[in-house]
DNA sequence: GGCAGTCAAGTACGC
DNA sequence: GCGTACTTGACTGCC
């Protein structure tokens, strides 16, 4: 078990998510921005290494407009050395890495233009992980997509489209349940057809489920991950009090997390904390989990 | 320097 | 059919 947080570190004074407006696009702007983002990513990873947080989600904004037609610059070649260096650091210290395209990536959209744009984004995200030389356990997680008035047909469309994907994408793609449309059970059904691994989001599951406790599904989820996929990834969050249902918590609730660890003690997985204060809660979570036998501790990998 | 409006992209839903 | 919520950090223009 590794513990981590997504995309942003609020403690170190930089962000790997710098972007700019499409109207401001120039190759120079792109190069400057990516250079800055990669430099910050290295700082974040160094911070995470120091604090023993070995699971991290890399921001989709790392290369702004990478999947947009406006971007014809060969950033992959220009920054090949930086990507290799970061990848080496990741492998050396035993990090687990994920990426998570945003809501506009919809594999099952009836509109083939939307589908094609989604493919372009998946090509970009998998390319980042490939450039870093990461193995197949580094994943790109997406949701199943829309329902479009016919859920079985939309699930079929997802499966058919998945089958048609390039291996470079299929090797990394995993699906995650969401809080409104597709449950873990739906994702498991898609796995049955396609073999795609399933990420369980415990918070989304609490809001959208078929009546079964999250822990009861962990065995089935585990079975969707093959050896080369690594152990399952799980997303964890909790409800922010006083906000709309589904709003992610600002801070981790230690007692809830402790209970989650206890209830899931028979299963091993990497935990992504989708909590708004990011590394702060992740450090607290790590402290709470310090005696958990599942925890991977690799504080001095270079020693 | 601070602030409010805006940003590539889509879907679901209420009216 | 149209407008809005969703979700969210960063950018941009204006004061």
């Amino acid at each position: 078990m590794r513990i981590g947080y997504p995309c942003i570190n609020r403690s170190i004074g930089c962000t790997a998510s710098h972007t700019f407006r499409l109207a401001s696009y120039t190759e120079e702007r792109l190069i400057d921005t990516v250079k800055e983002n990669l430099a910050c990513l290295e700082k974040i990873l160094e911070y995470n290494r120091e604090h023993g947080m070995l699971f991290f989600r890399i921001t989709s904004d790392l290369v702004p407009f990478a999947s947009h037609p406006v971007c014809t610059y060969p950033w992959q070649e220009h920054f090949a050395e930086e990507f290799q260096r970061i990848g080496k650091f990741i492998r050396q210290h035993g990090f687990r890495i994920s990426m998570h395209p945003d809501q506009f990536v919809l594999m099952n959209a009836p509109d083939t233009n939307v589908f094609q744009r989604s493919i372009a984004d998946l090509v970009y995200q998998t390319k980042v992980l490939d450039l870093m030389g990461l193995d197949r356990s580094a994943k790109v997680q997406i949701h199943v997509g829309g329902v479009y008035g016919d859920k079985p047909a939309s699930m079929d469309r997802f499966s058919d489209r998945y089958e048609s994907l390039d291996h470079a994408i299929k090797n990394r793609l995993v699906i995650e349940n969401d809080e409104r449309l597709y449950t873990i059970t739906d994702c498991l059904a898609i796995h049955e057809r396609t073999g795609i691994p399933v990420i369980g989001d415990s918070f989304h599951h609490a809001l959208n489920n078929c009546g079964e406790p999250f822990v009861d599904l962990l065995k089935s989820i585990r079975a969707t991950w093959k050896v080369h996929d690594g152990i399952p990834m799980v997303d964890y969050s909790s409800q922010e009090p006083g906000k709309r249902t589904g709003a992610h918590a600002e801070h981790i609730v230690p007692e809830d997390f402790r209970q989650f660890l206890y209830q899931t003690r028979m299963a091993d997985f990497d935990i992504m904390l989708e909590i708004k204060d990011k590394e702060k809660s992740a450090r607290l979570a790590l402290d709470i989990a310090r005696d958990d036998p599942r925890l991977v501790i690799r504080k001095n990998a270079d020693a």
Side-chain angles (χ1 to χ4, degrees):
Chain A
M1 172 181 284
R2 303 173 184 81
I3 292 176
Y5 61 96
C7 306
I8 293 164
N9 180 307
R10 298 186 189 283
S11 302
I12 60 174
C14 73
T15 163
S17 306
H18 286 290
T19 181
F20 47 85
R21 296 292 154 87
L22 182 57
S24 315
Y25 183 93
T26 61
E27 284 189 355
E28 191 184 13
R29 185 85 189 258
L30 179 77
I31 292 166
D32 290 348
T33 305
V34 175
K35 190 177 175 186
E36 202 174 355
N37 285 346
L38 288 170
C40 184
L41 177 59
E42 291 195 85
K43 284 185 192 166
I44 293 173
L45 290 169
E46 176 55 34
Y47 176 98
N48 292 354
R49 185 195 67 80
E50 280 173 21
H51 294 92
M53 291 183 285
L54 297 176
F55 189 17
F56 187 66
R57 182 185 300 165
I58 294 174
T59 172
S60 302
D61 285 332
L62 194 68
V63 183
F65 301 102
S67 63
H68 191 281
V70 74
C71 180
T72 55
Y73 185 78
W75 53 270
Q76 301 91 330
E77 292 154 34
H78 185 104
F79 292 103
E81 209 171 290
E82 285 87 341
F83 279 111
Q84 279 171 24
R85 188 171 66 239
I86 292 169
K88 187 181 172 191
F89 186 85
I90 286 168
R91 294 192 304 274
Q92 187 180 1
H93 296 291
F95 279 96
R96 186 82 182 276
I97 296 294
S98 66
M99 293 187 78
H100 193 348
D102 61 27
Q103 57 177 318
F104 306 109
V105 169
L106 293 154
M107 283 289 296
N108 68 353
D111 183 338
T112 52
N113 294 317
V114 174
F115 174 54
Q116 288 305 327
R117 282 195 287 273
S118 299
I119 298 280
D121 211 61
L122 294 177
V123 167
Y124 151 59
Q125 307 233 4
T126 53
K127 189 69 190 175
V128 166
L129 301 175
D130 289 346
L131 285 168
M132 290 176 178
L134 304 183
D135 66 24
R136 290 177 63 174
S137 71
K139 295 300 186 187
V140 174
Q141 67 186 89
I142 59 171
H143 294 292
V144 178
V147 165
Y148 310 102
D150 186 342
K151 196 168 179 181
S154 296
M155 289 169 70
D156 284 346
R157 197 161 50 246
F158 181 97
S159 300
D160 293 342
R161 294 227 176 116
Y162 174 81
E163 296 295 355
S164 74
L165 291 174
D166 191 275
H167 277 291
I169 297 175
K170 280 171 95 173
N171 287 347
R172 300 210 182 270
L173 206 60
V174 296
I175 46 172
E176 178 193 0
N177 59 306
D178 64 79
E179 78 275 38
R180 291 181 308 134
L181 307 175
Y182 291 96
T183 62
I184 291 176
T185 305
D186 293 328
C187 293
L188 290 171
I190 291 174
H191 164 79
E192 287 304 315
R193 271 201 59 185
T194 60
I196 190 170
V198 174
I199 288 191
D201 184 311
S202 64
F203 183 42
H204 289 166
H205 178 76
L207 301 169
N208 182 26
N209 59 67
C210 303
E212 68 287 75
F214 183 74
V215 291
D216 290 358
L217 292 165
L218 281 174
K219 198 173 174 187
S220 301
I221 288 173
R222 176 72 188 89
T224 67
W225 294 70
K226 297 194 175 68
V227 173
H228 54 239
D229 293 317
I231 63 171
M233 296 173 174
V234 161
D235 283 357
Y236 174 90
S237 185
S238 54
Q239 175 67 40
E240 174 67 14
K243 290 238 177 130
R244 64 160 185 90
T245 302
H248 289 255
E250 195 65 39
H251 313 289
I252 196 167
V253 181
E255 198 40 52
D256 289 353
F257 185 67
R258 196 170 283 119
Q259 197 175 10
F260 177 78
L261 288 178
Y262 179 74
Q263 286 172 342
T264 62
R265 63 195 179 281
M266 81 302 292
D268 194 13
F269 46 80
D270 290 328
I271 306 179
M272 179 59 63
L273 294 165
E274 295 191 321
I275 310 271
K276 298 221 175 170
D277 66 359
K278 308 288 180 181
E279 79 286 353
K280 196 174 164 193
S281 279
R283 289 180 65 178
L284 186 53
L286 201 61
D287 190 48
I288 291 167
R290 67 183 180 277
D291 295 326
D292 194 303
R294 291 170 289 182
L295 195 67
V296 176
I297 298 167
R298 205 176 296 186
K299 275 195 168 176
N300 297 301
D302 49 350

